[in-house]
C-alpha cells in the first residue's frame, strides 16, 4: 500500500494534507461538544437559566455548522484523491499489462488480471478515501476523548482504563483470525472470474455439449467456496459489535453508578458526568471504527500487493535503446545473392522451467519473397514457432532474425509493422470493419482497405453489407461467421504493406477454393511488390492441410517441436516419412501417384492412412 502511495500519491499530496487537517478541526469540535453540553446542563438547565441554555445551544449550533463545513472540504479532498489515484493506478496497470509479453500474461492469467484492474483497484480506492477521511479522525477522537475524560476526573477515568483495553483485546483476538481470510477472499474471487469468463465466452460450446449443469455446478462450487470464507469472516467479526456495546454499556452503568455517588457528595457536577458518558461512548465507538479501518486496510494491502506484483513484473521482452533497422534493398535480379527475410538458428523455446521444449533446436532460412509452409500435428509447436518471429515470445536459446537482424535488436513497433501476423484464433474487437482493418495503419485509405479485402477474399461479403466498411462489428466479431472473421483478420494484417506475412492456420475455416484464391492473391502481391521496386512479400503459412502448403517454396515439418523435415513438397515426400504419412492421409490417390520419385506403393491407401498428423483424426 505504501509503495502504491509513493508511486501514485505524489500528485495528490496537497489533498492528502488538506483533507485530514480539515478532519482534525472537525474532531476538535467533536471533543469540545461534551464540554459545552456539560456547561449547558450545569449553568443552564441546572440553574434554570434559559438565556444560558439558548447561549450554549447557539454555540453548539455554530460549532456543528463549522464542523460540517470542514467535513465537506475533507470529503471533497478524499473523493479527489481516491478517484484520481484509482484512475491513475488503473491506467498504469492497463499500460503495463500491454507491455507484458505472452509469457507474463500466461503466468498471471487473464481473469486474474481483470480482477486486479477492477476489484483490487476498488479496494485500494476505498482505503485511500477512508484513509483521508478517517485515519486521523478515529484514533485522534479516541485518544482525545480519553484524555478529556481523565482530565475531568481521575477516579472515573479508571473505569475508562479498564473498558478500553478489554475492547482492544477482543478486537485483536478477532482481527488476528480474520486477516488471513481477507487474503484468501481475493484469490477466490479470481477463480469465480475465471469460471465466469470461461463459461460465458464458451457459452455456445457449453450448450452444444449439454454441459450447462456441469458449468453451473462448477460456478456454484466456486461461489460457495468464496461465500463460505466470507461467512467464516462474518461469523468471527459478528461478535465484535455485541461485545463492544456490552462493554460500553457496562462502562456507562459503572460511570453513572460511581458518578451519581460523586454528584451526591458534591465532587462532580451532573454536567461533568454527562460529559464523561459522552467521552466514554466516543472512545469506544472510535475503537470500533478503527477496527473497521484495519479491515479495510488489510483488504487494501492484499489488493495493493497483487497490483504491485503486476506493476513490478518486468516485461521480459523489451526494445529499449534499439535503433531502427534499415530494411534491405530488394535484389535487382534473380541471380543476385538472396536476401534472408527470416532465419532461425538453433531456436528453442519452453513455456516454463522444467517443461519440455515446445520448439526444439529449429534452424531454417527463408529468402525474401519466398513462402514457407509449416505443417505438423496438433500441439507440434507450429503456433509457438511463428510466435518467436514478431517476439510474442523470445527464444529460450538460439536466435531468430528478420531481414538479417536479430529480432532482439529491433524496435518492437518496427518489427511488428514489418511482420504482420494473422493469429490462429480470429479475433475482432467491437467497432466497425474499418476500425478493425486500420489497426496496423490508421491512415489507410478506403482504397487500401478494399485492396486488402480483395486479397483476403473478403471484399464480396463486405460489399454486400449495406454499410460496407462502416458495418458494425460486435465484441469478438460475433456477428460474422468464422470464415468471415478469418478473412477480415487476414485483410487486417495486409493493410499497411507488411514485408513478412505470417498466417497461423488462418485459412482453416475457408473452403479449398477460397484458400487457393487467397494464396494466389498473396503470391501475386509478392510478385507485384518486387516488380514495383519494393520488397516482395515473404509469407509463412501454418496449416494442417497439405494442399495449403504443398506449393510453398519450403515446407517445415514439425514433430513435437523439432524439425522432422525441411524442403520442397516433392523432396519431402520422398525423404520425410512423417510428411509422406500426412500426405497419404489427406491427398487423393491421383495426387499421390503424381509425386516425383514417389515411393508410394501401387496399393497406397486412398482413404486416410492410419497415422495422421492431427491427433484424434
Ligand atoms: N500458453 C501456453 N502455456 C503452456 N504450454 C503451452 C502454451 N501454449 C502452447 N503450449 C504447449 O506447447 C505445445 C505447442 O503448442 P502450439 O500451440 O505451438 O501447437 P500447434 O502446433 O500450433 O497446435 P495446433 O495445430 O493445435 O494449433 C503444446 O504441447 C502445448 O500444450
Ligand atoms: Mg497452433
Amino acid at each position: 500500500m505504501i509503495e502504491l502511495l509513493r508511486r501514485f500519491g505524489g500528485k495528490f499530496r496537497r489533498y492528502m494534507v488538506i483533507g485530514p487537517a480539515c478532519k482534525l478541526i472537525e474532531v476538535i469540535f467533536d471533543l469540545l461538544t461534551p464540554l459545552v453540553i456539560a456547561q449547558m446542563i450545569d449553568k443552564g438547565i441546572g440553574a434554570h437559566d434559559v438565556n444560558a441554555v439558548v447561549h450554549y445551544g447557539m454555540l453548539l449550533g455554530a460549532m456543528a455548522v463549522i464542523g460540517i463545513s470542514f467535513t465537506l472540504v475533507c470529503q471533497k479532498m478524499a473523493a479527489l484523491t481516491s478517484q484520481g489515484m484509482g484512475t491513475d493506478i488503473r491506467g498504469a496497470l492497463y499500460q503495463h499489462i500491454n507491455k507484458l509479453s505472452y509469457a507474463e500474461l500466461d503466468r498471471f492469467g487473464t481473469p486474474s488480471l481483470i480482477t486486479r484492474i477492477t476489484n483490487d483497484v476498488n479496494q485500494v480506492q476505498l482505503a485511500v478515501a477512508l484513509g483521508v477521511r478517517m485515519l486521523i479522525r478515529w484514533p485522534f477522537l479516541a485518544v482525545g476523548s480519553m484524555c478529556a475524560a481523565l482530565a475531568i476526573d481521575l477516579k472515573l477515568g479508571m473505569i475508562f482504563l479498564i473498558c478500553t483495553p478489554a475492547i482492544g483485546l477482543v478486537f485483536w483476538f478477532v482481527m488476528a483470525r480474520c486477516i488471513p481470510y481477507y487474503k484468501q477472499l481475493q484469490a477466490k474471487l479470481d477463480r469465480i472470474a475465471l469460471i465466469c469468463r470461461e463459461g460465458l465466452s464458451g457459452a455456445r460450446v457449453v450448450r452444444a455439449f449439454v454441459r450447462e449443469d456441469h458449468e453451473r455446478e462448477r460456478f456454484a462450487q466456486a461461489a460457495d467456496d468464496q461465500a463460505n470464507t466470507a461467512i467464516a469472516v462474518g461469523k468471527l467479526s459478528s461478535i465484535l459489535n455485541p461485545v463492544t456495546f456490552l462493554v460500553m454499556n457496562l462502562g456507562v452503568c459503572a460511570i453513572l453508578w460511581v458518578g451519581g455517588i460523586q454528584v451526591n457528595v458534591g465532587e462532580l457536577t451532573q454536567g461533568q458526568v454527562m460529559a464523561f458518558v459522552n467521552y466514554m461512548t466516543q472512545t469506544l465507538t472510535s475503537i470500533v471504527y478503527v477496527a473497521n479501518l484495519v479491515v479495510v486496510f488489510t483488504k487494501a494491502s492484499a489488493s495493493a500487493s497483487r497490483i504491485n506484483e503486476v506493476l513490478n513484473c518486468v516485461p521480459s521482452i523489451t526494445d529499449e535503446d534499439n535503433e531502427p533497422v534499415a530494411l534491405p534493398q530488394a535484389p535487382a535480379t534473380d541471380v543476385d545473392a538472396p536476401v534472408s527475410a527470416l532465419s532461425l538458428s538453433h531456436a528453442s523455446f519452453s513455456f516454463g522451467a522444467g517443461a519440455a521444449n515446445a520448439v526444439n533446436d529449429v534452424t531454417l532460412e527463408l529468402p525474401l519473397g519466398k513462402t514457407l509452409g509449416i505443417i505438423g500435428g496438433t500441439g507440434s509447436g507450429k503456433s509457438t514457432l511463428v510466435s518467436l518471429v514478431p517476439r510474442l515470445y523470445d527464444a529460450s536459446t538460439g536466435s531468430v532474425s528478420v531481414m538479417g537482424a536479430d529480432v532482439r535488436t529491433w524496435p518492437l513497433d518496427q518489427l511488428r509493422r514489418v511482420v504482420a501476423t494473422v493469429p490462429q484464433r480470429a479475433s475482432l474487437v467491437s467497432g466497425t470493419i474499418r476500425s478493425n482493418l486500420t489497426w496496423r495503419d490508421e491512415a489507410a485509405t478506403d482504397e487500401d482497405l478494399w485492396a486488402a479485402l480483395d486479397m483476403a477474399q473478403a471484399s464480396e461479403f463486405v460489399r454486400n453489407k449495406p454499410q460496407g466498411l462502416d458495418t458494425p462489428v460486435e465484441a469478438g466479431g460475433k456477428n460474422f461467421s468464422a470464415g468471415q472473421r478469418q478473412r477480415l483478420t487476414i485483410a487486417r494484417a495486409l493493410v499497411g504493406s507488411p514485408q513478412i506475412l505470417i498466417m497461423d492456420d488462418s485459412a482453416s475455416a475457408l473452403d479449398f477454393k477460397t484458400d487457393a484464391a487467397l494464396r494466389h492473391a498473396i503470391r501475386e502481391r509478392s510478385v507485384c511488390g518486387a516488380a514495383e521496386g519494393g520488397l516482395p512479400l515473404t509469407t509463412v503459412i501454418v496449416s494442417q492441410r497439405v494442399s495449403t502448403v504443398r506449393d510453398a517454396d519450403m515446407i517445415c515439418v514439425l514433430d513435437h517441436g523439432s524439425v522432422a523435415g525441411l524442403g520442397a513438397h516433392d523432396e519431402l515426400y520422398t525423404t520425410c516419412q512423417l510428411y509422406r504419412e500426412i500426405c497419404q492421409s489427406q491427398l487423393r490417390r491421383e495426387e499421390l501417384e503424381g509425386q516425383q520419385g514417389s515411393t508410394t506403393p501401387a496399393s497406397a491407401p486412398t482413404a486416410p492412412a492410419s497415422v495422421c498428423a492431427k491427433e484424434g483424426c
Side-chain angles (χ1 to χ4, degrees), residues 106 351 358 376-385 393 424 504-505 544:
D106 289 347
F351 279 100
T378 291
S380 58
K382 303 181 296 294
S383 299
T384 313
L385 177 67
Y393 294 108
Q424 185 166 11
D504 184 1
D505 216 358
Q544 304 259 8

Side-chain angles (χ1 to χ4, degrees), residues 163-174:
C163 291
T164 311
I167 289 186
L169 215 68
V170 175
F171 271 102
W172 175 80
F173 177 82
V174 173

Side-chain angles (χ1 to χ4, degrees), residues 61 63 120 129 179 195 209 292 294 341 374 403 423 427 467 514 607:
M63 282 167 63
D120 286 319
I179 285 169
I195 293 173
F209 283 81
N292 283 338
V294 173
I374 301 179
M403 306 293 176
S427 76
Q467 288 169 274
T514 314

Side-chain angles (χ1 to χ4, degrees), residues 417-429:
R417 257 200 325 274
V418 167
V419 180
T421 311
V422 186
Q424 185 166 11
R425 242 186 80 196
S427 76
L428 298 170
V429 295

Side-chain angles (χ1 to χ4, degrees), residues 296-457:
V296 172
F297 281 111
T298 310
K299 282 186 186 171
S301 125
S303 291
S305 58
R306 284 158 54 87
I307 294 171
N308 283 326
E309 196 188 349
V310 178
L311 289 175
N312 292 338
C313 172
V314 182
S316 55
I317 293 180
T318 54
D319 61 353
E320 269 165 39
D321 306 328
N322 286 357
E323 295 293 331
V325 174
L327 294 184
Q329 298 297 314
T333 65
D334 279 350
V335 288
D336 283 355
V339 179
S340 162
L342 172 65
S343 72
L344 283 90
S345 168
H346 301 289
S348 298
F349 175 81
S350 100
F351 279 100
N357 279 350
V359 171
N360 191 35
D361 196 24
V362 174
T363 299
L364 59 84
E365 185 153 354
L366 182 66
L368 208 58
K370 300 291 180 194
T371 301
L372 168 70
I374 301 179
I375 194 165
T378 291
S380 58
K382 303 181 296 294
S383 299
T384 313
L385 177 67
V386 293
S387 305
L388 302 179
V389 182
R391 281 192 87 193
L392 300 180
Y393 294 108
D394 262 345
S396 322
T397 56
S399 65
V400 178
S401 301
V402 166
M403 306 293 176
D406 191 311
V407 287
R408 292 181 175 94
T409 63
W410 282 73
L412 282 172
D413 272 5
Q414 191 196 7
L415 178 67
R416 289 170 189 173
R417 257 200 325 274
V418 167
V419 180
T421 311
V422 186
Q424 185 166 11
R425 242 186 80 196
S427 76
L428 298 170
V429 295
S430 54
T432 59
I433 291 183
R434 188 195 304 280
S435 69
N436 272 279
L437 291 188
T438 50
W439 271 22
R440 286 176 42 83
D441 180 9
E442 298 210 332
T445 61
D446 281 9
E447 206 180 317
D448 298 333
L449 301 187
W450 283 115
L453 287 167
D454 273 340
M455 268 180 76
Q457 313 300 306

